[in-house]
Amino acid sequence: MTNTPITEVPAHLRAAVDAAKQKVADLHAELPRWELVVWTAGNVSERVRDDRSPDGTGDLLVIKPSGLSYDDITAEAMVVCDLEGNLVEGDRAPSSDTAAHAYVYAHMPEVGGVVHTHSTYATAWAARGEEIPCVLTMMADEFGGPVPVGPFAIIGDDSIGRGIVETLRGSRSKAVLMQNHGPFTIGGDAKAAVKAAVLCEEVARAVHVSCQLGEPLPIAQEHVDALYDRYQNVYGQR
Amino acid sequence: MTNTPITEVPAHLRAAVDAAKQKVADLHAELPRWELVVWTAGNVSERVRDDRSPDGTGDLLVIKPSGLSYDDITAEAMVVCDLEGNLVEGDRAPSSDTAAHAYVYAHMPEVGGVVHTHSTYATAWAARGEEIPCVLTMMADEFGGPVPVGPFAIIGDDSIGRGIVETLRGSRSKAVLMQNHGPFTIGGDAKAAVKAAVLCEEVARAVHVSCQLGEPLPIAQEHVDALYDRYQNVYGQR
Amino acid sequence: MTNTPITEVPAHLRAAVDAAKQKVADLHAELPRWELVVWTAGNVSERVRDDRSPDGTGDLLVIKPSGLSYDDITAEAMVVCDLEGNLVEGDRAPSSDTAAHAYVYAHMPEVGGVVHTHSTYATAWAARGEEIPCVLTMMADEFGGPVPVGPFAIIGDDSIGRGIVETLRGSRSKAVLMQNHGPFTIGGDAKAAVKAAVLCEEVARAVHVSCQLGEPLPIAQEHVDALYDRYQNVYGQR
Amino acid sequence: MTNTPITEVPAHLRAAVDAAKQKVADLHAELPRWELVVWTAGNVSERVRDDRSPDGTGDLLVIKPSGLSYDDITAEAMVVCDLEGNLVEGDRAPSSDTAAHAYVYAHMPEVGGVVHTHSTYATAWAARGEEIPCVLTMMADEFGGPVPVGPFAIIGDDSIGRGIVETLRGSRSKAVLMQNHGPFTIGGDAKAAVKAAVLCEEVARAVHVSCQLGEPLPIAQEHVDALYDRYQNVYGQR
């Protein structure tokens, strides 16, 4: 995917980009609210689809700048990048995790939102390189099985992005625990990815606590399948 | 209990239903306040008794819609169902746990409120299928003994409701830990059920923490009985 | 200590009682703020000294009514009792722990404030009947050694009060963990007792966490003594 | 370093001192916000450099008074001391940890901010005298390796300050866990030291949680080095 670089937001995407900036700014408030991040850690991004570019190479992503305090997040402060992670619009350097977000959008066309945090319990599983076993009905609902572990990968090239994509492609799980690092979650849009980040930490914590005093009881695969199927198709408002 | 379906709120219950909607909406705020839920999980319901229907088949319940954010809860947004879980009034689909709430009201006439959460520590005991032993005086006060475990049950039929009723009928406990799922609590009204949900998590947490470093000391049955009796009859304002 | 019952607040104590009501009401807000209580649990009291009664039998105490929500606490709602726990002034029944507070005031003339909570970590130590070992300099500062355990005692007579007094009399510690129940703390006034309650939970939690992964290092007795002496005499504003 | 005592803030430092008072006052709010302190514990200081005193002996520090409630912190309430810890300006006695802060400034000229807390998880590692192993990429980023332990030291002379300096001098870590006591962190200014305090507790907690259920996977030294180098030079806005 090497293309003519995108040097500014095309006019036909202006409204969509501005709407995404507002949405992404608002959703960042959910990360400290649910205690998934401290200080400036963590980030939320959303894809802006370019309908004139059916192969997706014209798509953009909106993300938080690097090192910005959660107190200073506004729609205007958000930055826009292409799907190779290059800055297209914005006064600040994009989040240092932008390359990983961009790689996911470029290689998983169905993904519309990505979230990264260092939430405590998910990160603790990640530090041991252990998947979270599916022992809660809410896990079967949201993740359809265990939350898997991705490889150890160093920031700076596309190895984090590749690790996320290789782990989540073909998986029911919307969350991956990158080894020694922390969770990345995906969704149809940024809000769904934030929901997955919140629930990932919730199940990481509840299963951790349960394992502290013994062995949680497994849920039979047929029940996991039934719960997942129902939740994806029936829960919420239709 | 198969009856003529109730297709609208009867005029003589209008005022009681509206009052219950306000009360149930307000009580939902207690769930995130005491950190019993994340995102849209959890729900509170209250029974509206129909005095013209002495067998209870005309009673209604007020509950939160499915997947509604805690930021968007208003009295108007609450929905009304009959005791078979069918929607009687409201613009949205009722909580996916409505069938369980309805089953409890239909089979436990003394119950006026039901609460369901995935609160972390109670859910952790539930994942192991272990009851919480009665080793705190506040447990003896509120629950009169251990908090029991209910069966594994799949959402979608009345098996969750049956599991709750079979576990709590004849028990002093106002809380049941549904295996691999989470706690349900009951009370004379919705506020009492919320109180039981708050205290269930509190004792689940304190006993968990105590068990992490050794064995909590048991409380003699005669003392459990004396504490329970006193608390039910003396505590609070008469 | 059987005396003519006090049937109303004497005129010469009116101003002091009203001031104590405001102070006690305000201090109750510290208990949920520092997450020491849930729902209506916990209470703060303060002694009002009667200078015309040198033996202390004319002293009063101000405390929260039984079962009052933390949202509804006002100076006016506070109740006044004598040191046998009898209601002297107020529209509501006093806290069900009033007898314990009263017993402490009656038998420890130097105590001006008492606090009771079910704070999680302190209660967890209490459930095992284990004192908190003095392995933190902040424990040596505030408590001058371990936080001791008091006996199992049933509410309803003066056995809780006796257990507190027998454990704390002659001890440096301002906190006692009543077995299977929770902490009581004392101080020169209500604010000092609240501070002790906050620090009791803090050290209960930090020492618990430390013990989870091994054995905390002891602090030599001479250092405990030096720290305690300094903190009692140098810390804060003179 | 024995000099003519500084008896008042020199006129040429007035503006810098006032700015530091505001900054230090504001930064104190971060300690309870991130749950690093309870009651009046903890303190933040910042160095005010005196450019007319190239050896640093004319530098001042701004710090919180001893025992001041976080509710009462204002720029005006902050106090000014010289680098021997003597009060230069202010109505109240300086924090009882001032001698330790002053020693660090006097012996580490590159340090512009110091923070001390009793944050729970960092203090728990300190109570066992165990360093926090570097098993998270965010630790490699911020601390460049393990968070080390400093010696047991008694307040009252310069032994705490010496312990901090001997442990951190020549280390990549901006945090030291003083044995049986708690963390001290340093930074180029007070904000950087607060950030280090927040991240120190975050990694102390996540690594603790990870260790509870097994052994975290180590990160190879070359990866620790690469992460540290990148974070110090690339992260944030340039």
Side-chain angles (χ1 to χ4, degrees):
Chain A
M1 220 175 75
T2 45
N3 307 92
T4 325
I6 306 176
T7 54
E8 56 176 5
V9 172
H12 70 283
L13 295 183
R14 171 50 53 204
V17 162
D18 288 350
K21 282 182 176 180
Q22 187 64 58
K23 190 173 166 189
V24 167
D26 291 347
L27 283 166
H28 271 96
E30 300 291 322
L31 303 192
R33 175 185 184 174
W34 299 108
E35 302 190 352
L36 306 185
V37 293
V38 298
W39 209 248
T40 65
N43 34 71
V44 177
S45 72
E46 187 161 77
R47 182 202 294 263
V48 177
R49 293 188 191 274
D50 180 3
D51 291 338
R52 300 186 187 172
S53 161
D55 65 352
T57 54
D59 288 0
L60 299 171
L61 69 87
V62 173
I63 196 166
K64 162 172 167 285
S66 185
L68 188 69
S69 164
Y70 281 87
D71 294 339
D72 298 330
I73 286 181
T74 60
E76 295 68 39
M78 298 299 101
V79 297
V80 183
C81 295
D82 65 23
L83 295 200
E84 291 179 344
N86 303 303
L87 184 68
V88 172
E89 180 176 282
D91 299 332
R92 294 177 172 87
S95 162
S96 56
D97 297 304
T98 300
H101 290 245
Y103 190 96
V104 173
Y105 291 123
H107 292 81
M108 298 182 84
E110 71 280 18
V111 171
V114 176
V115 171
H116 174 48
T117 79
H118 296 160
S119 64
T120 305
Y121 288 84
T123 299
W125 288 94
R128 290 193 312 275
E130 272 183 43
E131 69 174 25
I132 311 174
C134 184
V135 296
L136 298 173
T137 56
M138 68 171 145
M139 283 191 75
D141 287 346
E142 175 75 10
F143 298 106
V147 174
V149 174
F152 181 83
I154 278 283
I155 203 165
D157 56 20
D158 62 9
S159 61
I160 294 179
R162 265 190 295 119
I164 298 168
V165 169
E166 285 166 11
T167 311
L168 292 186
R169 187 179 272 164
S171 169
R172 284 173 177 172
S173 177
K174 300 174 188 76
V176 51
L177 310 174
M178 293 301 286
Q179 186 187 309
N180 295 110
H181 185 172
F184 282 81
T185 59
I186 58 174
D189 60 9
K191 189 175 179 185
V194 170
K195 180 188 178 187
V198 172
L199 291 184
C200 177
E201 179 64 4
E202 178 76 350
V203 302
R205 179 169 45 226
V207 177
H208 174 92
V209 170
S210 193
C211 289
Q212 287 186 304
L213 296 183
E215 194 80 32
L217 301 169
I219 302 180
Q221 187 62 44
E222 66 193 87
H223 291 145
V224 172
D225 294 346
L227 285 164
Y228 179 69
D229 182 61
R230 187 196 148 281
Y231 192 75
Q232 302 306 314
N233 295 301
V234 181
Y235 184 79
Q237 304 300 322
R238 296 291 121 192
Chain B
M1 218 176 75
T2 44
N3 308 93
T4 324
I6 305 177
T7 54
E8 55 176 5
V9 172
H12 70 283
L13 295 182
R14 171 50 54 201
V17 162
D18 288 350
K21 282 182 176 179
Q22 187 64 57
K23 191 173 167 188
V24 167
D26 291 347
L27 284 167
H28 271 95
E30 300 290 323
L31 304 191
R33 175 185 184 175
W34 298 108
E35 301 190 352
L36 306 184
V37 293
V38 298
W39 208 246
T40 65
N43 34 69
V44 178
S45 71
E46 188 162 76
R47 183 203 294 261
V48 177
R49 293 186 191 275
D50 180 2
D51 292 338
R52 301 187 187 171
S53 162
D55 64 352
T57 54
D59 289 1
L60 298 172
L61 70 88
V62 172
I63 196 166
K64 162 171 167 285
S66 185
L68 188 70
S69 164
Y70 280 87
D71 294 339
D72 298 330
I73 286 181
T74 61
E76 294 69 38
M78 298 298 102
V79 297
V80 183
C81 295
D82 65 23
L83 295 199
E84 292 179 344
N86 304 303
L87 184 68
V88 172
E89 181 176 282
D91 298 332
R92 293 178 172 87
S95 162
S96 56
D97 297 305
T98 301
H101 291 244
Y103 191 96
V104 173
Y105 291 123
H107 292 81
M108 298 182 84
E110 72 279 18
V111 171
V114 176
V115 171
H116 174 48
T117 79
H118 296 160
S119 64
T120 304
Y121 288 84
T123 299
W125 288 93
R128 289 194 312 275
E130 273 182 42
E131 68 175 25
I132 311 174
C134 185
V135 296
L136 298 173
T137 56
M138 66 172 145
M139 283 191 75
D141 288 345
E142 174 74 11
F143 299 106
V147 175
V149 174
F152 180 83
I154 278 284
I155 201 166
D157 57 20
D158 63 8
S159 62
I160 294 180
R162 265 190 295 119
I164 299 168
V165 169
E166 284 166 12
T167 310
L168 293 186
R169 188 179 270 162
S171 169
R172 283 172 177 171
S173 178
K174 299 175 187 77
V176 51
L177 310 174
M178 293 301 285
Q179 186 188 309
N180 295 110
H181 185 171
F184 282 82
T185 59
I186 58 174
D189 61 8
K191 189 175 180 185
V194 170
K195 180 188 179 187
V198 172
L199 291 183
C200 177
E201 180 64 5
E202 178 76 350
V203 302
R205 179 169 45 226
V207 178
H208 174 92
V209 170
S210 194
C211 289
Q212 287 186 305
L213 296 183
E215 195 80 32
L217 301 169
I219 302 180
Q221 187 62 44
E222 67 194 85
H223 291 144
V224 172
D225 294 346
L227 285 164
Y228 180 70
D229 183 61
R230 187 197 148 280
Y231 192 75
Q232 302 306 315
N233 295 301
V234 180
Y235 185 79
Q237 305 300 323
R238 296 292 119 194
Chain C
M1 218 175 75
T2 44
N3 307 93
T4 326
I6 306 176
T7 54
E8 55 176 6
V9 173
H12 70 283
L13 294 182
R14 171 50 53 201
V17 163
D18 289 349
K21 282 183 177 179
Q22 187 64 55
K23 190 174 167 190
V24 167
D26 291 346
L27 283 167
H28 270 95
E30 299 291 322
L31 304 192
R33 175 185 184 175
W34 299 107
E35 302 190 352
L36 305 184
V37 293
V38 298
W39 209 248
T40 65
N43 34 70
V44 177
S45 72
E46 188 162 76
R47 181 202 295 261
V48 177
R49 293 186 191 276
D50 181 3
D51 292 338
R52 300 186 187 171
S53 162
D55 64 352
T57 54
D59 289 359
L60 299 172
L61 68 89
V62 173
I63 196 166
K64 163 172 166 285
S66 184
L68 188 69
S69 163
Y70 281 87
D71 295 338
D72 297 331
I73 286 180
T74 61
E76 294 69 38
M78 298 299 100
V79 298
V80 183
C81 295
D82 65 22
L83 296 199
E84 292 180 343
N86 304 304
L87 185 67
V88 172
E89 180 176 282
D91 299 330
R92 294 177 170 90
S95 163
S96 56
D97 297 305
T98 301
H101 291 244
Y103 190 95
V104 173
Y105 291 123
H107 292 81
M108 298 182 84
E110 72 279 19
V111 172
V114 176
V115 171
H116 174 47
T117 78
H118 296 160
S119 64
T120 304
Y121 288 84
T123 299
W125 288 94
R128 289 194 311 276
E130 272 181 45
E131 69 175 24
I132 311 174
C134 185
V135 294
L136 298 173
T137 55
M138 67 172 146
M139 284 190 75
D141 287 345
E142 175 74 11
F143 298 106
V147 174
V149 174
F152 180 83
I154 279 283
I155 202 166
D157 56 20
D158 63 7
S159 62
I160 294 179
R162 265 190 295 119
I164 299 168
V165 169
E166 285 166 11
T167 311
L168 293 185
R169 187 179 271 162
S171 168
R172 284 173 177 172
S173 178
K174 300 174 187 77
V176 52
L177 309 175
M178 293 300 285
Q179 186 187 309
N180 296 108
H181 184 172
F184 281 82
T185 59
I186 58 175
D189 60 9
K191 188 174 179 185
V194 170
K195 180 188 179 187
V198 171
L199 291 183
C200 177
E201 180 63 4
E202 179 76 348
V203 302
R205 179 170 43 226
V207 178
H208 174 91
V209 170
S210 194
C211 289
Q212 287 186 304
L213 296 183
E215 195 80 31
L217 302 168
I219 302 180
Q221 186 62 44
E222 67 193 88
H223 292 145
V224 173
D225 294 346
L227 286 164
Y228 179 71
D229 183 61
R230 187 197 147 279
Y231 193 75
Q232 302 307 314
N233 295 302
V234 181
Y235 185 80
Q237 306 300 323
R238 296 293 119 191
Chain D
M1 221 176 72
T2 45
N3 308 91
T4 326
I6 306 177
T7 54
E8 56 177 6
V9 172
H12 70 283
L13 295 182
R14 171 49 53 203
V17 162
D18 288 349
K21 282 183 177 180
Q22 187 64 56
K23 190 173 168 189
V24 167
D26 291 346
L27 283 166
H28 271 96
E30 300 290 322
L31 304 191
R33 174 185 185 176
W34 299 107
E35 302 190 352
L36 306 185
V37 293
V38 298
W39 208 247
T40 65
N43 34 70
V44 177
S45 72
E46 188 162 75
R47 181 202 296 261
V48 177
R49 293 187 190 275
D50 181 3
D51 291 338
R52 301 187 188 172
S53 162
D55 66 350
T57 55
D59 289 359
L60 299 172
L61 69 89
V62 172
I63 196 166
K64 163 171 166 284
S66 184
L68 188 69
S69 163
Y70 281 86
D71 295 339
D72 298 330
I73 286 180
T74 60
E76 295 68 40
M78 298 299 100
V79 297
V80 183
C81 294
D82 65 23
L83 296 199
E84 291 179 343
N86 303 304
L87 185 67
V88 172
E89 179 175 282
D91 298 332
R92 294 177 171 89
S95 163
S96 56
D97 297 304
T98 301
H101 291 243
Y103 191 95
V104 173
Y105 291 123
H107 293 80
M108 298 182 84
E110 71 279 19
V111 171
V114 176
V115 172
H116 174 47
T117 79
H118 296 161
S119 65
T120 304
Y121 287 84
T123 300
W125 288 93
R128 289 194 311 276
E130 274 182 43
E131 68 175 24
I132 311 174
C134 184
V135 295
L136 298 174
T137 55
M138 67 171 146
M139 284 191 75
D141 287 346
E142 175 74 10
F143 299 107
V147 174
V149 174
F152 181 82
I154 278 283
I155 203 166
D157 56 21
D158 63 9
S159 62
I160 294 179
R162 265 190 296 119
I164 298 168
V165 169
E166 285 166 12
T167 311
L168 293 185
R169 187 178 272 162
S171 168
R172 284 172 177 172
S173 178
K174 300 175 188 76
V176 52
L177 309 175
M178 293 301 285
Q179 186 188 309
N180 296 110
H181 184 173
F184 282 82
T185 58
I186 58 175
D189 61 8
K191 189 175 179 185
V194 170
K195 180 188 179 187
V198 171
L199 290 183
C200 177
E201 179 63 4
E202 178 75 349
V203 303
R205 179 169 44 225
V207 177
H208 174 92
V209 170
S210 194
C211 289
Q212 287 186 304
L213 296 183
E215 194 80 31
L217 301 169
I219 302 180
Q221 187 61 43
E222 66 193 87
H223 292 145
V224 172
D225 294 346
L227 286 164
Y228 179 70
D229 183 61
R230 187 196 148 281
Y231 192 76
Q232 302 307 314
N233 295 303
V234 180
Y235 184 78
Q237 305 299 324
R238 296 291 120 191

